[in-house]
Amino acid sequence: MNIIDKLMKIDAGMLETPTAIHEMYVTKIGEKLEFEIQAINPEKMDDIQQKAVKIENGEVVGVDLYKTKVLTILEGCPMFKDKALREHFNCPTPKELIGKLLLKGEIDALVEAIDNLSELKEIKGAEDEIKN
């Protein structure tokens, strides 16, 4: 069976964005928390990266890595957009909530978990199956 035939047998309505629970100790809170995370589609990830590019006089002068990380977290861990949660911590924006709750290493770990969920997964035996 070729790939087109195989894909045509899949119910398009059944496609799901990968999700996971990322458990992480949050220093400012003093305990482990479970963050619900989701994969980010390639187009959105490209948009996030483009928004972080700094341009002056038509020239690229750098990349705002913190902005890239915050936008990745906002897309991959939507709980930070929750209005009630932001109000509870007196944070008018999701970006401020991330900064208030998480330290740099925790931000990095959460971004890495989201990136890992969004990346290519190798399936054991897939290479052998392709060869046969």
Side-chain angles (χ1 to χ4, degrees):
M1 175 184 304
N2 71 34
I3 190 167
I4 293 174
D5 293 336
K6 195 172 219 173
L7 290 171
M8 292 298 288
K9 291 183 178 188
I10 295 173
D11 180 356
M14 299 300 290
L15 296 177
E16 294 182 8
T17 299
T19 61
I21 299 294
H22 177 69
E23 187 176 77
M24 178 174 71
Y25 183 82
V26 179
T27 305
K28 292 180 181 179
I29 295 173
E31 64 181 81
K32 279 188 176 183
L33 298 179
E34 292 183 345
F35 293 87
E36 292 181 32
I37 61 173
Q38 61 190 23
I40 301 173
N41 75 49
E43 186 176 358
K44 187 63 180 178
M45 186 57 82
D46 189 49
D47 185 46
I48 288 169
Q49 292 169 346
Q50 286 180 13
K51 286 180 180 177
V53 173
K54 295 179 184 178
I55 299 175
E56 292 177 10
N57 299 322
E59 299 283 325
V60 174
V61 294
V63 176
D64 185 342
L65 295 178
Y66 183 71
K67 186 173 188 176
T68 300
K69 292 174 185 181
V70 166
L71 292 173
T72 298
I73 290 172
L74 291 178
E75 193 64 33
C77 188
M79 63 157 267
F80 287 99
K81 297 177 185 178
D82 185 89
K83 185 178 180 183
L85 185 62
R86 290 193 336 259
E87 288 174 354
H88 176 74
F89 284 100
N90 197 27
C91 295
T93 68
K95 178 182 175 182
E96 288 180 58
L97 181 60
I98 291 168
K100 188 167 204 163
L101 295 180
L102 304 177
L103 296 175
K104 181 199 175 303
E106 296 160 353
I107 289 171
D108 291 344
L110 191 53
V111 168
E112 183 178 355
I114 294 165
D115 284 345
N116 287 339
L117 194 58
S118 304
E119 297 291 327
L120 171 68
K121 302 288 186 261
E122 255 186 65
I123 301 170
K124 288 186 179 185
E127 194 172 299
D128 294 333
E129 191 175 312
I130 290 170
K131 289 178 186 176
N132 296 330

